[in-house]
PDB file of all heavy atoms in Angstrom:
ATOM      1  N   ASN A 291      -6.351  48.157 -18.790  1.00 90.00           N
ATOM      2  CA  ASN A 291      -6.260  49.622 -18.646  1.00 90.00           C
ATOM      3  C   ASN A 291      -5.438  50.186 -19.802  1.00 90.00           C
ATOM      4  O   ASN A 291      -4.299  50.618 -19.654  1.00 90.00           O
ATOM      5  CB  ASN A 291      -5.610  49.962 -17.301  1.00 90.00           C
ATOM      6  CG  ASN A 291      -5.748  51.435 -16.947  1.00 90.00           C
ATOM      7  OD1 ASN A 291      -6.114  52.268 -17.785  1.00 90.00           O
ATOM      8  ND2 ASN A 291      -5.455  51.771 -15.694  1.00 90.00           N
ATOM      9  N   ALA A 292      -6.029  50.157 -20.993  1.00 90.00           N
ATOM     10  CA  ALA A 292      -5.310  50.578 -22.206  1.00 90.00           C
ATOM     11  C   ALA A 292      -4.831  52.024 -22.161  1.00 90.00           C
ATOM     12  O   ALA A 292      -3.708  52.306 -22.594  1.00 90.00           O
ATOM     13  CB  ALA A 292      -6.198  50.344 -23.434  1.00 90.00           C
ATOM     14  N   PRO A 293      -5.595  52.978 -21.625  1.00 91.00           N
ATOM     15  CA  PRO A 293      -5.095  54.346 -21.584  1.00 91.00           C
ATOM     16  C   PRO A 293      -3.829  54.493 -20.742  1.00 91.00           C
ATOM     17  O   PRO A 293      -2.902  55.241 -21.117  1.00 91.00           O
ATOM     18  CB  PRO A 293      -6.268  55.132 -20.962  1.00 91.00           C
ATOM     19  CG  PRO A 293      -7.467  54.329 -21.299  1.00 91.00           C
ATOM     20  CD  PRO A 293      -7.032  52.902 -21.226  1.00 91.00           C
ATOM     21  N   MET A 294      -3.725  53.752 -19.627  1.00 93.00           N
ATOM     22  CA  MET A 294      -2.529  53.852 -18.798  1.00 93.00           C
ATOM     23  C   MET A 294      -1.348  53.205 -19.493  1.00 93.00           C
ATOM     24  O   MET A 294      -0.228  53.722 -19.446  1.00 93.00           O
ATOM     25  CB  MET A 294      -2.783  53.188 -17.438  1.00 93.00           C
ATOM     26  CG  MET A 294      -1.727  53.518 -16.377  1.00 93.00           C
ATOM     27  SD  MET A 294      -1.724  55.250 -15.893  1.00 93.00           S
ATOM     28  CE  MET A 294      -0.123  55.763 -16.505  1.00 93.00           C
ATOM     29  N   ALA A 295      -1.592  52.059 -20.126  1.00 93.00           N
ATOM     30  CA  ALA A 295      -0.513  51.398 -20.870  1.00 93.00           C
ATOM     31  C   ALA A 295       0.009  52.304 -21.972  1.00 93.00           C
ATOM     32  O   ALA A 295       1.232  52.387 -22.214  1.00 93.00           O
ATOM     33  CB  ALA A 295      -1.000  50.074 -21.453  1.00 93.00           C
ATOM     34  N   ALA A 296      -0.881  53.033 -22.650  1.00 95.00           N
ATOM     35  CA  ALA A 296      -0.460  53.968 -23.710  1.00 95.00           C
ATOM     36  C   ALA A 296       0.348  55.106 -23.128  1.00 95.00           C
ATOM     37  O   ALA A 296       1.326  55.568 -23.749  1.00 95.00           O
ATOM     38  CB  ALA A 296      -1.693  54.485 -24.450  1.00 95.00           C
ATOM     39  N   ALA A 297      -0.024  55.595 -21.946  1.00 96.00           N
ATOM     40  CA  ALA A 297       0.729  56.670 -21.313  1.00 96.00           C
ATOM     41  C   ALA A 297       2.140  56.230 -20.963  1.00 96.00           C
ATOM     42  O   ALA A 297       3.113  56.981 -21.160  1.00 96.00           O
ATOM     43  CB  ALA A 297      -0.008  57.155 -20.051  1.00 96.00           C
ATOM     44  N   PHE A 298       2.277  55.009 -20.467  1.00 97.00           N
ATOM     45  CA  PHE A 298       3.618  54.483 -20.179  1.00 97.00           C
ATOM     46  C   PHE A 298       4.450  54.409 -21.461  1.00 97.00           C
ATOM     47  O   PHE A 298       5.636  54.762 -21.456  1.00 97.00           O
ATOM     48  CB  PHE A 298       3.526  53.119 -19.510  1.00 97.00           C
ATOM     49  CG  PHE A 298       3.236  53.160 -18.043  1.00 97.00           C
ATOM     50  CD1 PHE A 298       2.079  52.580 -17.523  1.00 97.00           C
ATOM     51  CD2 PHE A 298       4.111  53.778 -17.164  1.00 97.00           C
ATOM     52  CE1 PHE A 298       1.818  52.618 -16.161  1.00 97.00           C
ATOM     53  CE2 PHE A 298       3.851  53.816 -15.795  1.00 97.00           C
ATOM     54  CZ  PHE A 298       2.682  53.245 -15.302  1.00 97.00           C
ATOM     55  N   ALA A 299       3.843  53.949 -22.529  1.00 96.00           N
ATOM     56  CA  ALA A 299       4.588  53.847 -23.803  1.00 96.00           C
ATOM     57  C   ALA A 299       5.055  55.231 -24.260  1.00 96.00           C
ATOM     58  O   ALA A 299       6.206  55.383 -24.713  1.00 96.00           O
ATOM     59  CB  ALA A 299       3.698  53.187 -24.868  1.00 96.00           C
ATOM     60  N   ARG A 300       4.195  56.235 -24.142  1.00 96.00           N
ATOM     61  CA  ARG A 300       4.597  57.592 -24.553  1.00 96.00           C
ATOM     62  C   ARG A 300       5.735  58.132 -23.699  1.00 96.00           C
ATOM     63  O   ARG A 300       6.542  58.954 -24.166  1.00 96.00           O
ATOM     64  CB  ARG A 300       3.384  58.541 -24.465  1.00 96.00           C
ATOM     65  CG  ARG A 300       2.307  58.280 -25.500  1.00 96.00           C
ATOM     66  CD  ARG A 300       1.302  59.407 -25.550  1.00 96.00           C
ATOM     67  NE  ARG A 300       0.540  59.544 -24.300  1.00 96.00           N
ATOM     68  CZ  ARG A 300      -0.595  58.939 -24.030  1.00 96.00           C
ATOM     69  NH1 ARG A 300      -1.134  58.098 -24.940  1.00 96.00           N
ATOM     70  NH2 ARG A 300      -1.247  59.143 -22.888  1.00 96.00           N
ATOM     71  N   ALA A 301       5.811  57.681 -22.445  1.00 97.00           N
ATOM     72  CA  ALA A 301       6.848  58.163 -21.535  1.00 97.00           C
ATOM     73  C   ALA A 301       8.143  57.372 -21.654  1.00 97.00           C
ATOM     74  O   ALA A 301       9.082  57.631 -20.899  1.00 97.00           O
ATOM     75  CB  ALA A 301       6.342  58.133 -20.094  1.00 97.00           C
ATOM     76  N   GLY A 302       8.201  56.398 -22.543  1.00 97.00           N
ATOM     77  CA  GLY A 302       9.428  55.648 -22.752  1.00 97.00           C
ATOM     78  C   GLY A 302       9.557  54.382 -21.929  1.00 97.00           C
ATOM     79  O   GLY A 302      10.634  53.785 -21.861  1.00 97.00           O
ATOM     80  N   TYR A 303       8.460  53.955 -21.298  1.00 98.00           N
ATOM     81  CA  TYR A 303       8.482  52.696 -20.547  1.00 98.00           C
ATOM     82  C   TYR A 303       8.206  51.548 -21.517  1.00 98.00           C
ATOM     83  O   TYR A 303       7.305  51.629 -22.343  1.00 98.00           O
ATOM     84  CB  TYR A 303       7.400  52.689 -19.464  1.00 98.00           C
ATOM     85  CG  TYR A 303       7.721  53.575 -18.267  1.00 98.00           C
ATOM     86  CD1 TYR A 303       7.646  54.972 -18.362  1.00 98.00           C
ATOM     87  CD2 TYR A 303       8.105  53.030 -17.054  1.00 98.00           C
ATOM     88  CE1 TYR A 303       7.934  55.778 -17.273  1.00 98.00           C
ATOM     89  CE2 TYR A 303       8.396  53.832 -15.954  1.00 98.00           C
ATOM     90  CZ  TYR A 303       8.306  55.197 -16.074  1.00 98.00           C
ATOM     91  OH  TYR A 303       8.593  56.009 -15.006  1.00 98.00           O
ATOM     92  N   ARG A 304       8.989  50.472 -21.397  1.00 96.00           N
ATOM     93  CA  ARG A 304       8.795  49.311 -22.250  1.00 96.00           C
ATOM     94  C   ARG A 304       8.235  48.155 -21.425  1.00 96.00           C
ATOM     95  O   ARG A 304       8.518  48.021 -20.231  1.00 96.00           O
ATOM     96  CB  ARG A 304      10.110  48.888 -22.898  1.00 96.00           C
ATOM     97  CG  ARG A 304      11.149  48.367 -21.934  1.00 96.00           C
ATOM     98  CD  ARG A 304      12.386  47.846 -22.644  1.00 96.00           C
ATOM     99  NE  ARG A 304      13.318  47.235 -21.695  1.00 96.00           N
ATOM    100  CZ  ARG A 304      13.268  45.965 -21.305  1.00 96.00           C
ATOM    101  NH1 ARG A 304      12.337  45.166 -21.800  1.00 96.00           N
ATOM    102  NH2 ARG A 304      14.147  45.481 -20.438  1.00 96.00           N
ATOM    103  N   VAL A 305       7.455  47.317 -22.065  1.00 96.00           N
ATOM    104  CA  VAL A 305       6.901  46.138 -21.395  1.00 96.00           C
ATOM    105  C   VAL A 305       8.027  45.110 -21.244  1.00 96.00           C
ATOM    106  O   VAL A 305       8.638  44.696 -22.229  1.00 96.00           O
ATOM    107  CB  VAL A 305       5.730  45.546 -22.187  1.00 96.00           C
ATOM    108  CG1 VAL A 305       5.220  44.277 -21.498  1.00 96.00           C
ATOM    109  CG2 VAL A 305       4.602  46.575 -22.324  1.00 96.00           C
ATOM    110  N   ALA A 306       8.284  44.696 -20.006  1.00 95.00           N
ATOM    111  CA  ALA A 306       9.348  43.732 -19.729  1.00 95.00           C
ATOM    112  C   ALA A 306       8.823  42.344 -19.415  1.00 95.00           C
ATOM    113  O   ALA A 306       9.498  41.351 -19.679  1.00 95.00           O
ATOM    114  CB  ALA A 306      10.205  44.230 -18.566  1.00 95.00           C
ATOM    115  N   GLN A 307       7.643  42.282 -18.820  1.00 94.00           N
ATOM    116  CA  GLN A 307       7.084  40.987 -18.428  1.00 94.00           C
ATOM    117  C   GLN A 307       5.563  41.100 -18.430  1.00 94.00           C
ATOM    118  O   GLN A 307       4.988  42.203 -18.392  1.00 94.00           O
ATOM    119  CB  GLN A 307       7.517  40.614 -16.998  1.00 94.00           C
ATOM    120  CG  GLN A 307       8.983  40.343 -16.789  1.00 94.00           C
ATOM    121  CD  GLN A 307       9.304  40.161 -15.305  1.00 94.00           C
ATOM    122  OE1 GLN A 307       8.525  40.554 -14.423  1.00 94.00           O
ATOM    123  NE2 GLN A 307      10.453  39.563 -15.032  1.00 94.00           N
ATOM    124  N   THR A 308       4.938  39.942 -18.438  1.00 96.00           N
ATOM    125  CA  THR A 308       3.522  39.841 -18.184  1.00 96.00           C
ATOM    126  C   THR A 308       3.336  39.053 -16.883  1.00 96.00           C
ATOM    127  O   THR A 308       4.069  38.105 -16.629  1.00 96.00           O
ATOM    128  CB  THR A 308       2.788  39.106 -19.332  1.00 96.00           C
ATOM    129  OG1 THR A 308       2.958  39.854 -20.533  1.00 96.00           O
ATOM    130  CG2 THR A 308       1.297  38.977 -19.030  1.00 96.00           C
TER     131      THR A 308
END
Side-chain angles (χ1 to χ4, degrees):
N291 193 347
M294 194 66 246
F298 279 119
R300 290 192 296 270
Y303 287 73
R304 67 175 185 87
V305 177
Q307 294 173 342
T308 299

